[in-house]
Amino acid sequence: MYKIAMLVSGSQGRGSTLQNMADACEDGRLPGACVVAVIGSVSGSTAIERAAARGLPTFVVSAKPAEDYDRRLLAAVKDAAPDAICLAGYMRILPDTVLAAYPGRILNIHPALLPAFGGKGMYGHHVHQAVIDYGVKVTGCTVHFVDPSYDNGPVILQKPVPVEDDDTPESVGARVLAAEHAAYPEAVRLLAEGRLRIEGRHVRILPRA
Ligand code: GRF
């Protein structure tokens, strides 16, 4: 079984990404995979509640005190012994210790076509509002490997969606979310199949063996 740990943050987030990943493990999009842990920083957050209601194992690692957060988070991740770690609305820079323990196995999804509309403070409706304010005709989502900067690691997959003249942050966000829910399991499947090779900033997708 290919084991996935999902990391979520505080009070942000709806938990749709972890729900979709768990669904993908059961509906054939991610064969032989399962979500073994959902780790959040606040008990009772929507994402943690949704994971628990879905029957997924949930764990809370408080971000306070900050001094030993990295040690406690790493311990919780290691307990789950995941093959891959998927950030799902995780709002912090991942501690170096966690990054070092799982090289090439930590993914994030961002609701825009990076490097546009990414970086600190670019999350949720802020992203889609910025997209509309700028007047771009196309946005989308990006799945990328995680490095020590916000929304910065090598890009695995991107899916574009159109921005319509009368879009609101909500309407374009819903279109992007549907693309995210297709892209994230697809990227995890490629990782699980050993088909992602990182070459500097580039991720080569290898053909099926
Ligand atoms: C998603 O839009 C994802 O791109 C971003 O955080 C959001 C999480 O959504 N990184 P949800 O809480 O899983 O619904």
Side-chain angles (χ1 to χ4, degrees):
M1 196 52 87
Y2 189 83
K3 297 192 276 180
I4 303 164
M6 310 280 304
L7 262 56
V8 299
S9 268
S11 50
Q12 294 291 333
R14 302 147 290 196
S16 76
T17 307
L18 63 90
Q19 168 94 44
N20 175 64
M21 197 70 77
D23 290 348
C25 292
E26 292 175 4
D27 65 19
R29 286 178 291 157
L30 259 175
C34 64
V35 175
V36 291
V38 177
I39 302 173
S41 51
V42 177
S43 67
S45 70
T46 307
I48 287 288
E49 294 281 290
R50 194 159 175 185
R54 181 71 169 68
L56 301 171
T58 61
F59 303 89
V60 174
V61 178
S62 172
K64 292 182 186 143
E67 298 86 78
D68 64 347
Y69 172 65
D70 57 344
R71 184 189 59 73
R72 290 180 289 110
L73 181 63
L74 181 61
V77 171
K78 282 195 163 167
D79 277 350
D83 296 295
I85 300 171
C86 294
L87 309 192
Y90 183 79
M91 306 290 290
R92 304 164 172 275
I93 295 290
L94 205 55
D96 285 343
T97 47
V98 179
L99 285 170
Y102 296 90
R105 291 197 280 154
I106 309 178
L107 274 53
N108 182 43
I109 189 160
H110 183 74
L113 297 175
L114 293 173
F117 307 111
K120 193 167 168 55
M122 275 294 180
Y123 61 90
H125 75 278
H126 299 293
V127 176
H128 307 305
Q129 185 69 62
V131 159
I132 288 172
D133 290 348
Y134 198 90
V136 293
K137 305 294 188 189
V138 178
T139 184
C141 66
T142 303
V143 185
H144 63 92
F145 284 107
V146 174
D147 76 0
S149 300
Y150 283 111
D151 303 327
N152 185 64
V155 171
I156 300 168
L157 286 181
Q158 293 187 302
K159 288 198 186 288
V161 304
V163 182
E164 309 291 354
D165 287 344
D166 51 1
D167 262 329
T168 61
E170 291 70 31
S171 64
V172 76
R175 204 174 299 126
V176 170
L177 192 63
E180 291 187 50
H181 288 175
Y184 215 176
E186 195 178 321
V188 174
R189 182 170 181 164
L190 290 169
L191 182 67
E193 291 174 348
R195 293 174 59 200
L196 298 179
R197 190 196 298 155
I198 304 174
E199 297 173 354
R201 270 222 62 88
H202 297 260
V203 178
R204 191 178 293 274
I205 299 180
L206 305 175
R208 217 177 282 277

CSV table of all heavy atoms in Angstrom, one decimal, residues 143 145 154-159 183 186-191 193-199 202-209:
chain,number,residue,atom,x,y,z
A,143,VAL,N,0.7,21.7,-9.3
A,143,VAL,CA,1.2,20.8,-8.3
A,143,VAL,C,2.7,20.8,-8.4
A,143,VAL,O,3.2,20.7,-9.5
A,143,VAL,CB,0.7,19.3,-8.5
A,143,VAL,CG1,1.2,18.4,-7.3
A,143,VAL,CG2,-0.8,19.3,-8.6
A,145,PHE,N,6.7,20.2,-6.2
A,145,PHE,CA,7.5,19.7,-5.1
A,145,PHE,C,7.7,20.8,-4.1
A,145,PHE,O,7.8,22.0,-4.5
A,145,PHE,CB,8.8,19.1,-5.5
A,145,PHE,CG,8.7,17.7,-6.1
A,145,PHE,CD1,8.9,17.6,-7.5
A,145,PHE,CD2,8.4,16.6,-5.4
A,145,PHE,CE1,8.8,16.3,-8.1
A,145,PHE,CE2,8.3,15.4,-5.9
A,145,PHE,CZ,8.5,15.2,-7.3
A,154,PRO,N,10.0,22.7,-7.8
A,154,PRO,CA,9.8,22.3,-9.2
A,154,PRO,C,8.4,21.9,-9.5
A,154,PRO,O,7.8,21.1,-8.7
A,154,PRO,CB,10.8,21.1,-9.4
A,154,PRO,CG,11.8,21.3,-8.3
A,154,PRO,CD,11.1,22.0,-7.2
A,155,VAL,N,7.9,22.3,-10.7
A,155,VAL,CA,6.5,22.1,-11.1
A,155,VAL,C,6.3,20.7,-11.6
A,155,VAL,O,7.1,20.3,-12.5
A,155,VAL,CB,6.1,23.1,-12.1
A,155,VAL,CG1,4.7,22.8,-12.7
A,155,VAL,CG2,6.1,24.5,-11.5
A,156,ILE,N,5.3,20.0,-11.1
A,156,ILE,CA,5.0,18.6,-11.6
A,156,ILE,C,3.9,18.7,-12.7
A,156,ILE,O,4.1,18.2,-13.8
A,156,ILE,CB,4.5,17.7,-10.4
A,156,ILE,CG1,5.7,17.7,-9.4
A,156,ILE,CG2,4.1,16.4,-10.9
A,156,ILE,CD1,5.2,17.0,-8.1
A,157,LEU,N,2.8,19.3,-12.4
A,157,LEU,CA,1.6,19.4,-13.3
A,157,LEU,C,1.0,20.8,-13.2
A,157,LEU,O,1.0,21.3,-12.1
A,157,LEU,CB,0.6,18.4,-12.9
A,157,LEU,CG,0.7,16.9,-13.1
A,157,LEU,CD1,-0.6,16.2,-12.6
A,157,LEU,CD2,0.9,16.6,-14.6
A,158,GLN,N,0.5,21.3,-14.2
A,158,GLN,CA,-0.4,22.4,-14.2
A,158,GLN,C,-1.6,22.2,-15.0
A,158,GLN,O,-1.5,21.5,-16.1
A,158,GLN,CB,0.4,23.7,-14.7
A,158,GLN,CG,1.5,24.1,-13.8
A,158,GLN,CD,2.2,25.4,-14.2
A,158,GLN,OE1,2.6,25.5,-15.3
A,158,GLN,NE2,2.2,26.4,-13.3
A,159,LYS,N,-2.8,22.7,-14.6
A,159,LYS,CA,-4.0,22.6,-15.3
A,159,LYS,C,-4.6,24.0,-15.5
A,159,LYS,O,-4.9,24.6,-14.5
A,159,LYS,CB,-5.0,21.6,-14.7
A,159,LYS,CG,-4.6,20.2,-14.8
A,159,LYS,CD,-5.7,19.2,-14.5
A,159,LYS,CE,-5.2,17.8,-14.5
A,159,LYS,NZ,-4.8,17.3,-15.8
A,183,ALA,N,-6.0,17.3,-10.7
A,183,ALA,CA,-4.5,17.3,-10.8
A,183,ALA,C,-3.8,16.6,-9.7
A,183,ALA,O,-2.8,16.0,-9.9
A,183,ALA,CB,-4.1,18.8,-10.9
A,186,GLU,N,-3.6,12.9,-9.7
A,186,GLU,CA,-2.8,12.5,-10.9
A,186,GLU,C,-1.3,12.6,-10.6
A,186,GLU,O,-0.5,11.8,-10.9
A,186,GLU,CB,-3.2,13.5,-12.0
A,186,GLU,CG,-2.8,13.0,-13.4
A,186,GLU,CD,-3.3,14.1,-14.4
A,186,GLU,OE1,-4.5,14.6,-14.3
A,186,GLU,OE2,-2.6,14.3,-15.4
A,187,ALA,N,-0.9,13.7,-9.9
A,187,ALA,CA,0.5,13.9,-9.6
A,187,ALA,C,1.0,12.9,-8.6
A,187,ALA,O,2.1,12.4,-8.7
A,187,ALA,CB,0.7,15.4,-9.1
A,188,VAL,N,0.2,12.6,-7.6
A,188,VAL,CA,0.6,11.6,-6.6
A,188,VAL,C,0.7,10.2,-7.2
A,188,VAL,O,1.6,9.5,-6.9
A,188,VAL,CB,-0.5,11.6,-5.4
A,188,VAL,CG1,-0.1,10.4,-4.5
A,188,VAL,CG2,-0.5,12.9,-4.7
A,189,ARG,N,-0.2,10.0,-8.2
A,189,ARG,CA,0.0,8.7,-8.9
A,189,ARG,C,1.3,8.6,-9.6
A,189,ARG,O,2.0,7.5,-9.6
A,189,ARG,CB,-1.2,8.5,-9.8
A,189,ARG,CG,-1.2,7.2,-10.6
A,189,ARG,CD,-2.5,6.9,-11.3
A,189,ARG,NE,-2.4,5.6,-12.0
A,189,ARG,CZ,-3.4,4.9,-12.4
A,189,ARG,NH1,-4.6,5.4,-12.3
A,189,ARG,NH2,-3.3,3.8,-13.0
A,190,LEU,N,1.7,9.7,-10.3
A,190,LEU,CA,2.9,9.7,-11.0
A,190,LEU,C,4.1,9.4,-10.1
A,190,LEU,O,5.1,8.7,-10.4
A,190,LEU,CB,3.1,11.0,-11.8
A,190,LEU,CG,2.2,11.2,-13.0
A,190,LEU,CD1,2.3,12.7,-13.5
A,190,LEU,CD2,2.6,10.2,-14.1
A,191,LEU,N,4.0,10.1,-8.9
A,191,LEU,CA,5.1,9.9,-7.9
A,191,LEU,C,5.1,8.5,-7.4
A,191,LEU,O,6.2,7.8,-7.3
A,191,LEU,CB,4.8,10.9,-6.7
A,191,LEU,CG,5.8,10.8,-5.6
A,191,LEU,CD1,7.2,11.4,-6.1
A,191,LEU,CD2,5.4,11.6,-4.4
A,193,GLU,N,4.1,5.9,-8.9
A,193,GLU,CA,4.6,5.0,-9.9
A,193,GLU,C,6.1,5.2,-10.3
A,193,GLU,O,6.6,4.5,-11.2
A,193,GLU,CB,3.8,5.2,-11.2
A,193,GLU,CG,2.3,4.7,-11.1
A,193,GLU,CD,1.4,5.0,-12.3
A,193,GLU,OE1,1.8,5.8,-13.1
A,193,GLU,OE2,0.3,4.5,-12.3
A,194,GLY,N,6.7,6.1,-9.5
A,194,GLY,CA,8.2,6.3,-9.7
A,194,GLY,C,8.5,7.0,-11.1
A,194,GLY,O,9.5,6.8,-11.6
A,195,ARG,N,7.5,7.8,-11.5
A,195,ARG,CA,7.6,8.4,-12.9
A,195,ARG,C,8.0,9.8,-12.9
A,195,ARG,O,8.0,10.5,-13.9
A,195,ARG,CB,6.3,8.2,-13.6
A,195,ARG,CG,6.1,6.7,-13.9
A,195,ARG,CD,4.7,6.4,-14.6
A,195,ARG,NE,4.6,7.2,-15.8
A,195,ARG,CZ,3.4,7.5,-16.4
A,195,ARG,NH1,2.3,7.1,-15.8
A,195,ARG,NH2,3.4,8.1,-17.5
A,196,LEU,N,8.4,10.4,-11.7
A,196,LEU,CA,8.8,11.8,-11.6
A,196,LEU,C,10.3,11.8,-11.4
A,196,LEU,O,10.8,11.3,-10.4
A,196,LEU,CB,8.1,12.5,-10.5
A,196,LEU,CG,6.5,12.5,-10.7
A,196,LEU,CD1,5.9,13.3,-9.5
A,196,LEU,CD2,6.1,13.2,-12.0
A,197,ARG,N,11.0,12.5,-12.3
A,197,ARG,CA,12.5,12.7,-12.1
A,197,ARG,C,12.8,14.1,-12.0
A,197,ARG,O,12.5,14.9,-13.0
A,197,ARG,CB,13.3,12.0,-13.2
A,197,ARG,CG,14.8,12.0,-12.8
A,197,ARG,CD,15.7,11.7,-14.0
A,197,ARG,NE,15.4,10.4,-14.6
A,197,ARG,CZ,15.7,10.2,-15.9
A,197,ARG,NH1,16.2,11.1,-16.7
A,197,ARG,NH2,15.4,8.9,-16.3
A,198,ILE,N,13.3,14.6,-10.9
A,198,ILE,CA,13.6,16.0,-10.7
A,198,ILE,C,15.0,16.3,-11.3
A,198,ILE,O,16.0,15.6,-10.9
A,198,ILE,CB,13.6,16.4,-9.2
A,198,ILE,CG1,12.3,16.0,-8.6
A,198,ILE,CG2,13.9,17.9,-9.0
A,198,ILE,CD1,12.2,16.3,-7.1
A,199,GLU,N,15.1,17.2,-12.2
A,199,GLU,CA,16.3,17.6,-12.8
A,199,GLU,C,16.4,19.2,-12.6
A,199,GLU,O,15.9,19.9,-13.5
A,199,GLU,CB,16.4,17.2,-14.3
A,199,GLU,CG,16.3,15.7,-14.5
A,199,GLU,CD,16.2,15.3,-15.9
A,199,GLU,OE1,16.1,16.2,-16.8
A,199,GLU,OE2,16.2,14.1,-16.2
A,202,HIS,N,13.4,21.4,-13.3
A,202,HIS,CA,12.5,20.6,-14.2
A,202,HIS,C,12.1,19.3,-13.6
A,202,HIS,O,12.9,18.6,-12.9
A,202,HIS,CB,13.2,20.4,-15.5
A,202,HIS,CG,13.5,21.7,-16.2
A,202,HIS,ND1,12.7,22.2,-17.2
A,202,HIS,CD2,14.5,22.6,-16.0
A,202,HIS,CE1,13.2,23.4,-17.6
A,202,HIS,NE2,14.3,23.7,-16.8
A,203,VAL,N,10.9,18.9,-13.8
A,203,VAL,CA,10.4,17.6,-13.4
A,203,VAL,C,10.1,16.8,-14.7
A,203,VAL,O,9.2,17.3,-15.5
A,203,VAL,CB,9.2,17.7,-12.5
A,203,VAL,CG1,8.7,16.2,-12.2
A,203,VAL,CG2,9.5,18.4,-11.2
A,204,ARG,N,10.8,15.8,-14.9
A,204,ARG,CA,10.6,15.0,-16.1
A,204,ARG,C,9.5,13.9,-15.8
A,204,ARG,O,9.7,13.2,-14.8
A,204,ARG,CB,11.9,14.3,-16.6
A,204,ARG,CG,11.8,13.7,-18.0
A,204,ARG,CD,13.2,13.1,-18.4
A,204,ARG,NE,14.1,14.2,-18.6
A,204,ARG,CZ,14.3,14.9,-19.7
A,204,ARG,NH1,13.5,14.6,-20.8
A,204,ARG,NH2,15.2,15.8,-19.9
A,205,ILE,N,8.5,13.8,-16.6
A,205,ILE,CA,7.5,12.7,-16.4
A,205,ILE,C,7.9,11.5,-17.3
A,205,ILE,O,7.9,11.6,-18.5
A,205,ILE,CB,6.1,13.2,-16.7
A,205,ILE,CG1,5.7,14.4,-15.7
A,205,ILE,CG2,5.1,12.0,-16.5
A,205,ILE,CD1,4.3,14.9,-15.9
A,206,LEU,N,8.3,10.4,-16.6
A,206,LEU,CA,8.8,9.3,-17.4
A,206,LEU,C,7.6,8.5,-17.9
A,206,LEU,O,6.5,8.5,-17.3
A,206,LEU,CB,9.6,8.4,-16.4
A,206,LEU,CG,10.8,9.1,-15.7
A,206,LEU,CD1,11.5,8.2,-14.8
A,206,LEU,CD2,11.8,9.7,-16.8
A,207,PRO,N,7.8,7.8,-19.0
A,207,PRO,CA,6.8,7.0,-19.6
A,207,PRO,C,6.5,5.8,-18.6
A,207,PRO,O,7.3,5.4,-17.8
A,207,PRO,CB,7.3,6.5,-20.9
A,207,PRO,CG,8.8,6.8,-20.9
A,207,PRO,CD,9.0,7.8,-19.9
A,208,ARG,N,5.3,5.3,-18.7
A,208,ARG,CA,4.9,4.1,-18.0
A,208,ARG,C,5.8,3.0,-18.3
A,208,ARG,O,6.2,2.8,-19.4
A,208,ARG,CB,3.5,3.7,-18.4
A,208,ARG,CG,2.6,3.2,-17.2
A,208,ARG,CD,1.2,2.9,-17.8
A,208,ARG,NE,0.4,4.1,-17.9
A,208,ARG,CZ,-0.2,4.6,-16.9
A,208,ARG,NH1,-0.2,4.1,-15.7
A,208,ARG,NH2,-1.0,5.7,-17.1
A,209,ALA,N,6.2,2.2,-17.2
A,209,ALA,CA,7.2,1.1,-17.4
A,209,ALA,C,6.6,0.0,-18.3
A,209,ALA,O,5.4,-0.2,-18.2
A,209,ALA,CB,7.7,0.6,-16.1
